[in-house]
Amino acid sequence: MAEIRKGVLKSFASGSYLAGVQITGSLGVYLPSVPVSRGIPAGELTAGRGVAVVFFDAANPDDAVVSAVWS
């Protein structure tokens, strides 16, 4: 079952469309290479913005995608 978690965007690589995300509420959980939905324009992906991360397998943080961004 999928799980959605809030995070903070720390970095974004437009060439690979991968983001570095700090999961909210857990200082020890930093995900350095989360794929980002191509439906989100690169110009919206600036450090410090809030993001929604969908985990398709909660036990596998490599199986996730950034699906939304907000201020």
Side-chain angles (χ1 to χ4, degrees), residues 7-62:
V8 176
L9 186 68
K10 295 295 187 179
S11 64
F12 174 67
S14 60
S16 61
Y17 244 69
L18 295 174
V21 177
Q22 179 78 46
I23 298 300
T24 302
S26 180
L27 294 176
V29 180
Y30 175 76
L31 306 173
S33 299
V34 180
V36 177
S37 167
R38 295 286 178 148
I40 302 172
E44 296 294 321
L45 296 160
T46 56
R49 295 195 72 187
V51 293
V53 182
V54 178
F55 291 89
F56 297 103
D57 178 359
N60 181 5
D62 292 329

